[in-house]
Every structure is written in structure tokens, then in C-alpha cells.
Amino acid sequence: MILSLKNQVALITGASSGIGYGCAEALAAAGASVVINYRSQPEPAEKLASSIREKGGQAITVQGDVSKEEDVENLFAKTLEAFGALDILVANSGLQRDAMIADMSLAEWQQVLDVNLTGQFLCARAAVRQFRQQDRASVSRAKGKIIHMSSVHQLIPWAGHANYAASKGGLDLLMRSLAQELGEEKIRINAVAPGAIATAINKEATQGEAAEKLLELIPYGRIGVTEDIANAVVWLASDLADYVHGTTLFVDGGMSLYPEFRGNG
Ligand code: NAD
């Protein structure tokens, strides 16, 4: 079977930068029409949409905050207006508001949970409602596919980032519960857990001396790039992964392998 997303429609949240941007680019290259959601940066989103269109693909941009119910409803309405269906949701938006627990404000806790967990719920719910109304048997074996962008920190505790780790740990059980609930409807749900990928979210940790320290945590010996995640997302979204359901694919160069134990004979 050849990997193709031709005639499929993909919505990617938080796609004006980093991993989301890379996913939108790769999904379009695989043949999907893409909806590029951004919260506050229209320029890179528009630039990406134009470059996809120049290559013969189809793309639109839609502003929206995934933690707001009305914005999510609008995002899905605009998707349908433009392309008439939705096959793939990549719920990618996420942020960090780091603080040690005694110094963490309720606002920092709440914002991370609102975007990283409630935003994932709102987008998944809207996608499921849409999937149920459509027959896409001619373009995909699944009725619809959801890919949640998680993190190695759904597994690895992270001091100083309790809000972020809690949001991603919660996302794991959200994803698996939805997969259990919706599998018999042929709605296929998975997550991708990136390790350390060089993007805006972790600029300080992936450059200079900090990067050297970070490499000690990555058995495969390099910091990831957005294409590493985008390639996994494209595969997971395709019929080649049709029997992959309710799983988190760790794309982390081995970061989740307890690398501190190397050489501790
Ligand atoms: P990034 O900061 O470049 O991307 C995050 C995107 O989410 C941005 O485009 C931002 O505008 C968007 N966003 C934030 N709040 C939003 C909101 N309320 N509504 C809509 N969009 C919103 O960083 P990234 O590394 O590309 O992160 C993408 C995803 O990958 C996040 O969920 C992050 O937790 C996850 N992740 C990243 C890494 C990494 O090493 N870069 C590792 C593990 C997981």
C-alpha cells in the first residue's frame, strides 16, 4: 500500500509554528487539504497556506483559541465550509507556564490545563460529532482519525512543570478512553509523544550549553526536528496505520528509556 492522504481533509491546531507547522506542511505534501489554525500569529500561517497552494495543494487558515468553546465551533464550521468534510484532526496546540509548585499561580495552572487538556477535549468532541455525520469510505478506511499531541511528560514526571506534566498525563487517559469508546464506530484515535524537538516552546533548552546537557537524556544522540514528528503523524493518519488505535507513539530518540541508567552496571 502506498501512503497517500489524497482527497482527505486535515485540521491542525496551533499550526503557525513548530510541530503543528511541520505537520500541516507534511500532511499537505501527502495530499491532504489542510486547515491551519493559529491563535495569534496570522503571518506565518498565511505564508504556509500560500506555499501549499503554490505547490498545487489546498489550504486555509482559521484563527481560534482552542480553549474557547465558541472558537472551536467556529474552527470546525470554517473547515466544513471550505472543504465539506473532516478526516484528520491533529490536536497539537499546547503551551508551558513553568514554576515550582509553591510559586505556581492558579492562573499558570489553569491556563496550561485549559489549552493542553480542555482544548484537546473540545477539539476531539467537535471532530467526533463531525465524523458521525459523514461517509468517507471512498477516501479512508476509518470514519475519522484523531491524533493528540502529547509529550514524553505524559510518562516522565517533570519537576518545575507540574501543570504541564499533569495536562499531558491527563491527555493520555483522555485519548485512551475516547479510543475505547469510539473504536467500534471506526473512529481511530491515537497520540504522538514527542521528546525534545527544537521549537519555540523549548528554545533555551535546545541551544548552546543547555543542548549538550539535554543530549545526555537522548540515547539516540540528537535533538529532534519537527519533521521527525510530522512524519509519524502522516503515517498515523494514513491507512498504513489502520490497525493502530488507542496507542501513544513515542517519537523521542529513546528519551523515555531511563537513559540515566546507562553504564550503571
Ligand atoms: P510551539 O510553541 O511552536 O507550538 C505551540 C502552538 O500552540 C503555537 O503555534 C501556539 O500559538 C499554539 N497555541 C497555544 N495556545 C493556543 C490556544 N489557546 N489556541 C490555539 N493554539 C494555541 O511549540 P511546539 O513544540 O511546536 O509544540 C506543539 C505541541 O507539541 C504542544 O502540544 C507541545 O506540548 C508538544 N510537545 C513539544 C515538544 C518539544 O520538544 N517541542 C515536546 C513534547 C511535546
Side-chain angles (χ1 to χ4, degrees):
M1 196 188 282
I2 290 168
L3 193 159
S4 167
L5 300 177
K6 203 160 177 282
N7 297 323
Q8 297 198 38
V9 180
L11 163 57
I12 308 97
T13 68
S16 62
S17 66
I19 290 172
Y21 189 105
C23 288
E25 216 170 21
L27 288 161
S33 301
V34 297
V35 179
I36 298 163
N37 158 251
Y38 65 94
R39 186 198 43 184
S40 55
Q41 295 182 284
E43 297 84 10
E46 281 303 336
K47 210 171 137 207
L48 174 58
S50 304
S51 106
I52 289 169
R53 288 193 290 259
E54 273 159 27
K55 290 179 193 139
Q58 297 198 68
I60 61 162
T61 64
V62 184
Q63 192 279 331
D65 179 336
V66 296
S67 68
K68 296 195 173 133
E69 193 171 23
E70 61 276 20
D71 283 21
V72 173
E73 296 306 314
N74 178 57
L75 179 55
F76 280 73
K78 291 270 160 47
T79 301
L80 290 192
E81 218 174 278
F83 299 123
L86 176 72
D87 300 288
I88 300 157
L89 164 68
V90 182
N92 165 76
S93 292
L95 46 74
Q96 288 178 218
R97 292 291 177 264
D98 307 330
M100 301 307 280
I101 194 69
D103 302 321
M104 188 179 288
S105 67
L106 178 58
E108 285 165 338
W109 169 267
Q110 198 68 59
Q111 191 186 5
V112 171
L113 270 291
D114 281 352
V115 175
N116 295 12
L117 193 53
T118 305
Q120 296 272 341
F121 152 70
L122 288 171
C123 290
R125 187 183 66 174
V128 169
R129 287 175 174 168
Q130 174 54 32
F131 294 158
R132 281 185 170 156
Q133 290 175 38
Q134 61 189 27
D135 177 2
R136 301 291 285 165
S138 63
V139 300
S140 170
R141 292 178 74 182
K143 204 168 171 56
K145 295 152 282 196
I146 299 175
I147 298 168
H148 294 282
M149 198 55 69
S150 185
S151 163
V152 286
H153 295 295
Q154 73 169 48
L155 180 72
I156 305 173
W158 205 12
H161 309 259
N163 47 0
Y164 185 82
S167 74
K168 297 298 186 179
L171 179 54
D172 176 38
L173 271 173
L174 172 67
M175 181 279 289
R176 288 194 287 144
S177 300
L178 298 189
Q180 193 190 59
E181 186 174 321
L182 297 160
E184 65 187 354
E185 295 182 50
K186 291 269 174 299
I187 296 174
R188 200 158 63 72
I189 303 182
N190 292 287
V192 170
I197 311 299
T199 68
I201 215 172
N202 57 14
K203 222 192 290 169
E204 276 139 45
T206 54
Q207 288 172 2
E209 250 173 58
E212 290 304 313
K213 207 154 172 272
L214 185 59
L215 280 173
E216 288 169 19
L217 299 178
I218 308 171
Y220 200 61
R222 72 170 170 85
I223 291 169
V225 292
T226 55
E227 288 82 359
D228 292 318
I229 306 304
N231 289 338
V233 163
V234 168
W235 174 75
L236 258 185
S238 79
D239 278 356
L240 292 180
D242 188 56
Y243 207 50
V244 182
H245 180 58
T247 286
T248 296
L249 178 56
F250 283 77
V251 184
D252 67 350
M255 195 177 224
S256 47
L257 297 172
Y258 299 95
E260 303 85 341
F261 279 77
R262 282 176 297 180
N264 267 356

